[in-house]
Each structure stands twice: as C-alpha cells, then as structure tokens.
Amino acid sequence: MLIDAHVHLDKYGDLLDDALKEIETEQIFTVATAMDVPSYLELQRIAERSNLVLPTFGIHPRRAADYANRLHEIGRHIETSPAIGEIGLDFHWVKDASTYSAQRKVLEYFIAAAAEQNKFVNLHTKAGEKEILDLLEKYDVRRAIIHWYSGPMDILRAMIDYGCYFTIGVEVLYSHYIKSIAKAVPDHLLLTETDNPGALRWLKKNDEIGMPAAIKDVVNALAELRQSTPDHVESLVQANFSRLIADDPWLQKIRDSFFS
Ligand SMILES: [Zn+2]
C-alpha cells in the first residue's frame, strides 16, 4: 500500500473529487494535515468520504500568530484529533520575526499535548530543526514524522538517532541536497509524502496542481536512489508506518483495516 503521510487535501478545491478518486483507485493511505482550525474542520468532512484519509489537527507555523492567544480553543480540537499536524517552526520562509515567539508558544502547546495524549506528530522544521529536536526530547515525544526535511546534516543525524521518521517528497525529483537526505535516512525511518496539491507548484513556480498519484513518482525516485525497487520501497514505507502506529491508542481501526 502506498502511503502519503503529509498532504493538504482541503486545498484541492474543484479537484477534490478527482483527488479522492485517485486515492481510492491507487489505494493511498493519506495523512491529511491541517493548517489551522477551519482547515481541520474541512478535513474532517472530507475524511467522511474515504476511510483511507486520516484527518489530523495542527496549526501551521505560518498561522501560529493568529492562535497564540487561543490555546484553549486549540486544546479542544486536539482532543478530537487522532494525531497532530501540521505543526512546527519556520524561521526561514516566514520572514516576520515578530511571529517567532507565537510559533514557539503554539508548537510547545501541541508537543506537550501530543506527549500527554500519546499521539504522533507531523512536523515542519524549516530553520527550527535543532529547537524542534530539543522539544521532542524535553517532552519525550518519540513518534515524530519530520516532513520535507531540508536542514543541516548534523541535525538530521541527531534526529535519526532519536528515532524520528522522515517523509521524503517530490523535491527528491529535483534537488541534489534532498537526494542526499533521501539517501541518508535509514530504511526503518523512511516514509513518503506529496505535500500536495501545492508542492509542485511551489517547487517549479508554475500552476501545476499535484495530484495524489505523485506519490508513485516519489517511490520510483527513492527506489532508484537507494538502489532498490519501487515494490520494495513501497512495502518498506508501509512497514514503517505500520510500526509508527503499532501501539497507537487512537488508530486501532486503521491498523485493523489497513496494517494488519
Ligand atoms: Zn505541509
């Protein structure tokens, strides 16, 4: 089974029906990450249409400033979410440094809740890699997916030692640095993502809308890079996701349906 462990399904607009159809046809297990509260509520509605879609609540670092004084509201939604994401820090693309303390406050609130409620987290780490690893250690959050890692190699190694999982996405098709990261992630921590529909558009600066089946391009690229086969990469990633959720108290139904 193909796994897309980080995707923004609520952003598909008119193409949502097509995207869901593709998810069903290709049997892609899909972790649908939220950007903020409205995004999460929309993902919950979308997930009613496919049991391959797992909607998760998070506040993206870009949106954190609007939520730093609404932690109570965040807390209510965390309770209803089986996993956490997208959360994180972004001190690179987010230029407005006045939001950084809000980003830190919101992220720490989520990490603490994830620890308390035993939920896995899906993290955006751009230029906050070391700080995020410190937080995971502080709260002993062991089940973490690092999405689209592009930071320094020494922190990558420290995250690997800690046991973080890494979703490699479509940039592996274009960037030498991402290829070197994709090679450095050990077999047992490798996951895949598309971060679509926007990832290709963002990378190629065009108006291309990334569809769910792009996950197959990622699998093929990983197979080539790691001198493996697409089938082997697919089953490796499936086994890894299965291990990530093996004792998850919130995902038993998903385990029984797709990963047993
Ligand atoms: Zn994302």
Side-chain angles (χ1 to χ4, degrees):
M1 164 175 253
L2 292 159
I3 311 280
D4 188 347
H6 187 112
V7 57
H8 296 278
L9 270 189
D10 57 315
K11 303 267 188 271
Y12 271 102
D14 290 346
L15 287 175
L16 177 63
D17 288 356
D18 293 345
L20 287 171
K21 216 176 285 166
E22 221 170 90
I23 284 170
E24 291 289 333
T25 309
E26 304 291 346
Q27 289 288 292
I28 305 168
F29 186 77
T30 300
V31 180
T33 49
M35 296 291 288
D36 56 19
V37 169
S39 161
Y40 175 56
L41 298 177
E42 181 62 24
L43 289 173
Q44 284 184 313
R45 284 190 288 272
I46 292 171
E48 284 169 17
R49 300 175 55 190
S50 169
N51 55 10
L52 288 164
V53 174
L54 177 71
T56 70
F57 175 57
I59 301 289
H60 192 280
R62 251 182 236 288
R63 302 283 301 118
D66 286 351
Y67 286 90
N69 296 318
R70 295 156 68 184
L71 296 182
H72 211 73
E73 183 186 349
I74 291 179
R76 273 193 293 116
H77 293 294
I78 292 176
E79 299 267 336
T80 71
S81 184
I84 303 298
E86 178 170 358
I87 55 170
L89 297 173
D90 193 321
F91 304 142
H92 177 81
W93 301 112
V94 179
K95 301 291 180 204
D96 182 358
S98 73
T99 69
Y100 293 176
S101 67
Q103 287 190 36
R104 291 186 168 103
K105 184 176 167 188
V106 169
L107 174 64
E108 187 155 5
Y109 185 81
F110 271 105
I111 297 277
E116 205 180 281
Q117 297 172 33
N118 192 10
K119 291 172 176 173
F120 80 75
V121 294
N122 207 317
L123 289 155
H124 175 115
T125 61
K126 196 72 191 171
E129 293 86 1
K130 174 74 171 74
E131 223 176 294
I132 284 177
L133 179 57
D134 289 346
L135 264 183
L136 293 173
E137 286 172 343
K138 178 178 171 187
Y139 287 94
D140 198 31
V141 169
R142 293 279 159 183
R143 295 189 301 133
I145 297 175
I146 309 295
H147 131 79
W148 202 327
Y149 187 88
S150 62
M153 277 293 175
D154 58 331
I155 309 296
L156 176 75
R157 277 181 217 107
M159 285 174 158
I160 289 169
D161 289 345
Y162 186 71
C164 296
Y165 290 81
F166 294 84
T167 45
I168 305 295
V170 289
E171 197 176 10
V172 76
L173 300 163
Y174 306 100
S175 148
H176 284 293
Y177 192 60
I178 298 296
K179 284 182 209 286
S180 63
I181 286 165
K183 279 197 253 189
V185 172
D187 275 354
H188 69 289
L189 299 175
L190 182 70
L191 293 175
T192 46
E193 69 165 43
T194 60
D195 201 22
N196 273 336
L200 292 167
R201 188 168 52 222
W202 184 84
L203 276 173
K204 295 160 91 176
K205 311 287 177 240
N206 62 13
D207 55 5
E208 187 169 346
I209 292 173
M211 295 304 285
I215 200 72
K216 293 199 281 189
D217 302 333
V218 174
V219 168
N220 291 341
L222 283 170
E224 207 182 306
L225 275 174
R226 298 167 74 95
Q227 287 161 336
S228 179
T229 64
D231 281 350
H232 181 74
V233 170
E234 183 177 332
S235 38
L236 187 65
V237 168
Q238 181 178 348
N240 290 342
F241 193 81
S242 178
R243 189 181 333 106
L244 172 78
I245 66 166
D247 299 312
D248 194 304
W250 310 95
L251 298 175
Q252 192 181 345
K253 218 174 110 199
I254 281 167
R255 238 176 4 249
D256 295 348
S257 307
F258 303 113
F259 297 96
S260 59

mmCIF file of all heavy atoms in Angstrom, residues 6 8 33 60 86 147 195, ligand 1:
data_model
loop_
_atom_site.group_PDB
_atom_site.id
_atom_site.type_symbol
_atom_site.label_atom_id
_atom_site.label_comp_id
_atom_site.label_asym_id
_atom_site.label_seq_id
_atom_site.Cartn_x
_atom_site.Cartn_y
_atom_site.Cartn_z
ATOM 1 N N HIS A 6 1.758 13.151 4.382
ATOM 2 C CA HIS A 6 1.639 14.597 4.591
ATOM 3 C C HIS A 6 1.036 15.236 3.340
ATOM 4 O O HIS A 6 1.720 15.416 2.332
ATOM 5 C CB HIS A 6 3.006 15.213 4.895
ATOM 6 C CG HIS A 6 2.941 16.654 5.294
ATOM 7 N ND1 HIS A 6 3.241 17.097 6.571
ATOM 8 C CD2 HIS A 6 2.582 17.756 4.597
ATOM 9 C CE1 HIS A 6 3.081 18.403 6.627
ATOM 10 N NE2 HIS A 6 2.690 18.842 5.439
ATOM 11 N N HIS A 8 -2.243 18.147 1.906
ATOM 12 C CA HIS A 8 -3.239 19.181 2.256
ATOM 13 C C HIS A 8 -4.486 19.006 1.402
ATOM 14 O O HIS A 8 -4.735 19.777 0.464
ATOM 15 C CB HIS A 8 -2.613 20.563 2.097
ATOM 16 C CG HIS A 8 -1.485 20.784 3.052
ATOM 17 N ND1 HIS A 8 -1.685 21.166 4.363
ATOM 18 C CD2 HIS A 8 -0.145 20.609 2.919
ATOM 19 C CE1 HIS A 8 -0.520 21.238 4.990
ATOM 20 N NE2 HIS A 8 0.433 20.901 4.128
ATOM 21 N N THR A 33 -3.068 16.616 6.677
ATOM 22 C CA THR A 33 -2.645 17.560 7.714
ATOM 23 C C THR A 33 -3.357 18.896 7.553
ATOM 24 O O THR A 33 -3.589 19.365 6.441
ATOM 25 C CB THR A 33 -1.124 17.795 7.631
ATOM 26 O OG1 THR A 33 -0.787 18.082 6.262
ATOM 27 C CG2 THR A 33 -0.351 16.573 8.063
ATOM 28 N N HIS A 60 -0.251 25.393 11.426
ATOM 29 C CA HIS A 60 0.999 25.595 10.692
ATOM 30 C C HIS A 60 1.734 26.813 11.272
ATOM 31 O O HIS A 60 1.084 27.773 11.688
ATOM 32 C CB HIS A 60 0.647 25.832 9.213
ATOM 33 C CG HIS A 60 1.816 25.774 8.297
ATOM 34 N ND1 HIS A 60 2.684 26.834 8.138
ATOM 35 C CD2 HIS A 60 2.270 24.787 7.490
ATOM 36 C CE1 HIS A 60 3.624 26.492 7.264
ATOM 37 N NE2 HIS A 60 3.397 25.258 6.847
ATOM 38 N N GLU A 86 -0.429 19.762 10.734
ATOM 39 C CA GLU A 86 0.957 20.145 10.646
ATOM 40 C C GLU A 86 1.275 21.179 11.720
ATOM 41 O O GLU A 86 0.549 22.160 11.867
ATOM 42 C CB GLU A 86 1.212 20.725 9.233
ATOM 43 C CG GLU A 86 2.609 21.229 8.991
ATOM 44 C CD GLU A 86 2.848 21.562 7.496
ATOM 45 O OE1 GLU A 86 1.936 21.363 6.663
ATOM 46 O OE2 GLU A 86 3.959 22.032 7.194
ATOM 47 N N HIS A 147 8.617 16.303 8.274
ATOM 48 C CA HIS A 147 8.138 16.446 6.902
ATOM 49 C C HIS A 147 9.108 17.314 6.091
ATOM 50 O O HIS A 147 9.569 18.341 6.570
ATOM 51 C CB HIS A 147 6.709 17.019 6.963
ATOM 52 C CG HIS A 147 6.415 18.177 6.091
ATOM 53 N ND1 HIS A 147 6.167 18.041 4.745
ATOM 54 C CD2 HIS A 147 6.309 19.505 6.363
ATOM 55 C CE1 HIS A 147 5.911 19.254 4.237
ATOM 56 N NE2 HIS A 147 6.008 20.147 5.184
ATOM 57 N N ASP A 195 2.889 16.376 0.042
ATOM 58 C CA ASP A 195 2.647 17.767 0.442
ATOM 59 C C ASP A 195 1.829 18.488 -0.629
ATOM 60 O O ASP A 195 1.867 19.699 -0.731
ATOM 61 C CB ASP A 195 3.948 18.522 0.744
ATOM 62 C CG ASP A 195 3.719 19.746 1.620
ATOM 63 O OD1 ASP A 195 2.699 19.805 2.333
ATOM 64 O OD2 ASP A 195 4.555 20.679 1.584
HETATM 65 ZN ZN ZN B 1 2.530 20.794 4.554
#
